[in-house]
Amino acid sequence: MDASNTITTTTGRRSGRVRHGRRVADRVLRIACTGATLVGALVLGSILVMLIVQGVRGFTPTLFTNPTPGPGSEGGGIANAILGSLVLTGIGILIATPIGVMAGTYLAEYGRGSKLAALIRFLNDILLSAPSILIGLFVYTLMVRPMGTYSGWAGGVALAIIAVPVIVRTTEDMLRLVPGTLREAGAALGAPPSTVIMSVTWRAASAGIVTGIILALARIAGETAPLLFTALNNNSWFSANLMGGVANLPVMIYQFALSPYPNWQGLAWAGALLITATILALSIIARLVIKPQASR
Amino acid sequence: MPALTESIAVGRTRSATARKAPSRSLDTLFRTFSYGAALLVLLVLAGILGSILYGGWPAFREFGFGFLTSSAWNVGTEQYGALVAVIGTVASAFLALLIGVPVSLGIAVYLTQLCPGWARKPVAMTIELLAAVPSIIYGMWGLFVFAPLFARYVQMPVSNLVEGMPIIGTLFYARVPSGVGVFTAGIILAIMIVPFIASIARDMLDQIPTVLRESAYGIGCTTWEVVRHVLVPQAAVSIIGAIMLGLGRALGETMAVTFVIGNANRLSASIFDPSSTIASRIANEFNEADGLQLNALMALGCILFVITFVVLIIARLLTRRVQSA
């Protein structure tokens, strides 16, 4: 009884002796860190509120059925831009997926310990955060100038170049998580390396690889800068040969948002809401697909 | 019994050799294709550098070293210089770091040390979603939501306050308090790089052995002391790497900056005044550019390439060294 009393008083006195400055510094840190997180959440909230308030008004049936109107005229929709965006992103991801998955496979399976693979891995990481506008300039020089016209193909290639490093990185990371014993078991059955990779390691890492592709899709769906010099924009309906400008959501939003016409601005807001909702949904799906242990 | 085993073994060998012949050529093909895909990554990087060097060469030849030091940008007289855009790029990226780094480290510390377990996942997801928002949406948010508020509640009061003061007066005085300018661009860039720096810093803090943290708490350290004396020294190099990675993004960011920086070719000492960055100038002028102007824009692209790639290489070296150690 006596002893326990002493203990409680001692602990009481100890915590009382903590210097005032230490406690203040601690409290400042806690408040500052919580505040920083709140600011981040508030900005995201504010962006979403802005998009919903401004964009929902534009969500009419004609938005999805009519092409973009001419300057200053009323009505119209963004159907051609939606379709164009789908086609450009589709071309981009169709080019990028085989290249990215194969390159990631090389880095993880064949190139272990090789100097060249280390260099490629390093440069791929740099390409991952390279300014997308430079990729636009590259594709402009590579395709638009020789062909003499803006084209959907050039836009798709530019998006593919942005998507490849994302897919390479996630593919390699996911393949590295596959235990070596699985590969050895495959090889011990007499399967050649390509069979082991295709039917053992790829299958084991498939969820992670798919996540990488979805993340790449989310990344390129909203890219604007590289499309400015490659696919540009177009106010007419989509034509199948993809030559000349191809309408797409990001460039349409850029041009319409900064235009002086209220109708165009309204369409830009509706497009912005549509594209952001799509991309956020894709990112959330990608995070749900990925397994907790796989997140490096 | 032995005969049976033998016959099975023989049968198996035969079927294995029978299948091996076609699959070996497939094997080589597969290997070659994956090798080629990996080489393509190298080729693309070389192609980017090659194409902008090729495009920018006439401008470098025309203006020589003066291209870097000249602040002229006159389409009429065909006089071009990179100085304003380079300063705008560096200044906005620097402001972004100044604002963004403390915020991202704060978020990383909150997520790893202070956040209750149940809230950790949703909060982390919210911050990561900030990275998924397209750059053009940040531009619209910056121009239509943030800039008017910033002009009314920050630029005008501060301008009135500092007007006429010696150094602060030139640094913070807005001639036209419209809300757009270098400082606004810096804030928007800060928001855009926060999720990147925060998520790498969080991973690094998570990798530090719990024992270190717990022993520090065990001898009576406060959270601040644990962060300051245990966590930060452990993760310092890789956090600097993460910051450089954020810097690389801020330097090359295009659409958001194009919306909020004001796109003026004017050398001004005030961070409230409009200016332009390399990326915003290319985005604004490239489609209408012709002849020497096009070459000058490509040359600007070369400068951007060199700056960002040096920064990104340093960043990757710093983050890599710690991961392998």
Side-chain angles (χ1 to χ4, degrees):
Chain A
M1 188 64 187
D2 215 4
S4 77
N5 258 346
T6 335
I7 287 165
T8 44
T9 46
T10 326
T11 20
R13 213 160 3 110
R14 277 265 166 81
S15 64
R17 267 211 312 233
V18 171
R19 255 191 17 245
H20 190 59
R22 292 180 63 198
R23 226 187 302 165
V24 170
D26 188 50
R27 186 150 310 161
V28 168
L29 174 88
R30 279 161 188 272
I31 292 171
C33 290
T34 317
T37 314
L38 271 180
V39 166
L42 272 180
V43 169
L44 185 66
S46 154
I47 289 172
L48 294 181
V49 167
M50 164 193 87
L51 287 175
I52 291 168
V53 166
Q54 302 271 9
V56 159
R57 242 179 301 157
F59 266 71
T60 51
T62 53
L63 189 76
F64 300 97
T65 54
N66 289 8
T68 42
S73 58
E74 285 304 306
I78 53 172
N80 55 340
I82 296 174
L83 191 64
S85 259
L86 287 177
V87 169
L88 292 182
T89 323
I91 295 176
I93 212 76
L94 281 181
I95 299 175
T97 301
I99 296 175
V101 170
M102 290 308 278
T105 308
Y106 176 79
L107 294 183
E109 303 287 332
Y110 292 116
R112 290 184 183 221
S114 100
K115 282 232 169 79
L116 179 72
L119 177 71
I120 292 175
R121 190 175 300 128
F122 188 76
L123 292 179
N124 183 67
D125 277 356
I126 286 176
L127 206 54
L128 196 62
S129 13
S132 56
I133 192 154
L134 293 182
I135 292 166
L137 289 182
F138 168 54
V139 177
Y140 175 85
T141 318
L142 187 75
M143 296 179 72
V144 175
R145 197 185 281 178
M147 289 176 171
T149 171
Y150 296 103
S151 73
W153 297 113
V157 168
L159 293 181
I161 293 177
I162 295 167
V164 162
V166 182
I167 301 178
V168 171
R169 179 68 192 267
T170 38
T171 305
E172 193 203 348
D173 283 352
M174 293 306 142
L175 289 179
R176 277 173 180 277
L177 290 173
V178 177
T181 43
L182 271 183
R183 294 189 187 93
E184 284 163 16
L189 288 174
S194 62
T195 314
V196 173
I197 290 168
M198 283 190 279
S199 41
V200 179
T201 35
W202 275 4
R203 199 169 288 179
S206 59
I209 295 176
V210 170
T211 308
I213 296 169
I214 299 177
L215 283 178
L217 200 60
R219 169 91 195 267
I220 62 175
E223 276 291 349
T224 317
L227 293 181
L228 276 178
F229 320 140
T230 52
L232 198 63
N233 201 358
N234 191 340
N235 276 348
S236 63
W237 265 106
F238 177 76
S239 82
N241 73 0
L242 294 181
M243 296 313 258
V246 171
N248 60 85
L249 278 175
V251 177
M252 183 281 289
I253 294 170
Y254 174 55
Q255 292 179 342
F256 281 18
L258 294 177
S259 74
Y261 314 110
N263 185 34
W264 272 17
Q265 289 168 1
L267 291 174
W269 283 113
L273 174 60
L274 187 68
I275 205 164
T276 312
T278 314
I279 289 171
L280 291 187
L282 280 175
S283 323
I284 292 172
I285 291 170
R287 279 182 178 78
L288 294 181
V289 169
I290 203 166
K291 287 174 195 144
Q293 42 104 16
S295 61
R296 200 165 57 90
Chain B
M1 195 59 181
L4 186 67
T5 341
E6 202 167 288
S7 81
I8 289 175
V10 167
R12 194 177 281 166
T13 327
R14 198 187 297 142
S15 76
T17 38
R19 235 187 274 155
K20 211 168 202 173
S23 79
R24 185 170 284 169
S25 67
L26 180 80
D27 206 44
T28 327
L29 192 73
F30 187 84
R31 199 197 156 105
T32 316
F33 187 40
S34 82
Y35 186 67
L39 280 184
L40 209 59
V41 173
L42 277 185
L43 275 180
V44 164
L45 202 59
I48 293 174
L49 181 62
S51 69
I52 53 178
L53 263 180
Y54 167 77
W57 188 247
F60 283 128
R61 201 179 44 202
E62 174 81 22
F63 302 111
F65 192 70
F67 186 70
L68 280 176
T69 52
S70 158
S71 62
W73 193 271
N74 193 324
V75 184
T77 61
E78 297 232 303
Q79 285 301 312
Y80 301 107
L83 192 65
V84 177
V86 170
I87 289 181
T89 307
V90 174
S92 58
F94 177 73
L95 286 169
L97 283 192
L98 212 62
I99 304 160
V101 168
V103 174
S104 14
L105 295 185
I107 290 175
V109 168
Y110 178 81
L111 280 174
T112 52
Q113 315 296 321
L114 304 173
C115 187
W118 56 269
R120 199 164 288 182
K121 264 232 166 107
V123 173
M125 185 112 138
T126 309
I127 300 299
E128 274 172 27
L129 284 186
L130 271 179
V133 174
S135 132
I136 191 165
I137 304 298
Y138 278 109
M140 294 173 84
W141 184 78
L143 184 62
F144 298 115
V145 176
F146 184 76
L149 294 175
F150 187 70
R152 181 185 294 176
Y153 295 108
V154 179
Q155 273 193 342
M156 296 221 284
V158 171
S159 286
N160 289 338
L161 193 72
V162 301
E163 197 179 350
M165 285 187 191
I167 295 167
I168 310 168
T170 44
L171 206 54
F172 290 103
Y173 181 66
R175 263 174 283 191
V176 187
S178 56
V180 297
V182 180
F183 194 56
T184 316
I187 294 173
I188 300 296
L189 284 174
I191 298 169
M192 297 180 71
I193 63 174
V194 155
F196 289 98
I197 304 179
S199 85
I200 300 177
R202 187 197 60 187
D203 286 350
M204 296 302 160
L205 293 181
D206 267 341
Q207 275 175 18
I208 296 172
T210 328
V211 186
L212 279 179
R213 216 170 66 203
E214 282 174 355
S215 46
Y217 280 121
I219 58 170
C221 287
T222 60
T223 310
W224 159 247
E225 286 157 350
V226 172
V227 170
R228 169 71 188 79
H229 298 290
V230 179
L231 302 183
V232 168
Q234 282 279 320
V237 178
S238 41
I239 287 176
I240 294 172
I243 292 169
M244 298 292 275
L245 210 59
L247 179 62
R249 288 213 171 244
L251 287 167
E253 181 46 57
T254 310
M255 298 320 292
V257 174
T258 309
F259 271 87
V260 295
I261 200 159
N263 300 313
N265 184 61
R266 190 171 53 198
L267 215 50
S268 164
S270 169
I271 56 170
F272 283 162
D273 273 346
S275 178
S276 52
T277 69
I278 294 177
S280 75
R281 175 157 297 161
I282 297 175
N284 261 319
E285 299 185 6
F286 194 80
N287 280 329
E288 276 91 42
D290 205 16
L292 196 58
Q293 191 188 0
L294 195 89
N295 296 325
L297 288 171
M298 286 280 197
L300 278 182
C302 286
I303 298 173
L304 179 64
F305 184 95
V306 172
I307 300 175
T308 43
F309 278 66
V310 167
V311 168
L312 289 175
I313 286 172
I314 296 173
R316 291 299 177 184
L317 289 176
L318 287 175
T319 40
R320 176 135 301 184
R321 194 166 51 186
V322 172
Q323 272 167 9
S324 59

